[in-house]
Amino acid sequence: MNLPGTLKAALFGAALATLAGPALADQLADIKSAGKIITATDMHYAPFDMLTNGEYEGMTKDLFDGVSKEIGAEPVYQDIPWTAELPGLEVKKFDIVIAPVTITPERLERYAFSLPIADATVALVRAAGNDELKQPEDIKGKTVGVQQGTAQFRQLQAFGEKIGGITVKEYGTTDEAYADLAAGRLDAVAGSMPNLTYLVKNRGETFALFDKPTFGDPTYFAWVMRKDAESESFTKAVNDALLKMTDDGRIKTIQEKWLGTYTELPREVPAK
């Protein structure tokens, strides 16, 4: 049986495609094709993520608006409880978790991280009228609030054991912990230094940082993506955008707007 030349060529091409297997998926290509980036964050984590009169704002939004513009896709912002964000990312409910996530060795094994977006060193805040708590060691025997499922929670637990014991009370959001501290139901709240600095700056009549507020090793906040071949292109695009925004001064402007100061951040993802 003789086949026309064009039909032979088509059949040969189809056979080669079958042998080569399916084309590799590419998250960045899919995002650009869809024209949108699906994100997840907890919009109750000032100054990074806040709802003000029903509108989403904060340092995270300003940063990711810039990154999305560089990538060429519109961001879709979703308010998701923190404890559901990383599990949702793994099953591809969103493209990226833009809630500030502390980089830890355990998380690095499981997820791809962006470059750091802020300092995340754990610190302590007290009621403004409580002058007994000055050093981190002063929380021994006290009740300290912290957001559940965070790196700050684990660091607080370890520090409490080191100094002889504390009572740790977990909260779904930091706002709930701050409310209990203001009401006298807690002695202190642990959180990242930027969050607590912002809190005291805006509510200094109610809250005060410890004289020496931080404890533990310096850590950083970053965004989280899936750690697979499909997502490598998207992770690189996010990091390229952050480097460009660092070099042209946009990140400095955003940090100073929300944190009141600028901290130079690593240009590579820290190993721990």
Side-chain angles (χ1 to χ4, degrees), residues 22-67:
L24 290 175
D26 184 276
Q27 187 182 12
L28 180 61
D30 292 343
I31 284 171
K32 289 189 172 184
S33 176
K36 58 186 178 180
I37 305 173
I38 308 301
T39 77
T41 192
D42 176 357
M43 297 180 183
H44 308 273
Y45 202 64
F48 295 96
D49 303 274
M50 298 173 284
L51 284 172
T52 304
N53 298 322
E55 294 293 323
Y56 175 47
E57 66 173 10
M59 182 173 162
T60 297
K61 183 179 184 299
D62 285 0
L63 286 170
F64 203 75
D65 279 351
V67 168

Side-chain angles (χ1 to χ4, degrees), residues 1-33:
M1 174 171 151
N2 295 320
L3 295 174
T6 53
L7 180 57
K8 287 181 180 179
L11 291 173
F12 182 68
L16 284 179
T18 301
L19 290 172
L24 290 175
D26 184 276
Q27 187 182 12
L28 180 61
D30 292 343
I31 284 171
K32 289 189 172 184
S33 176

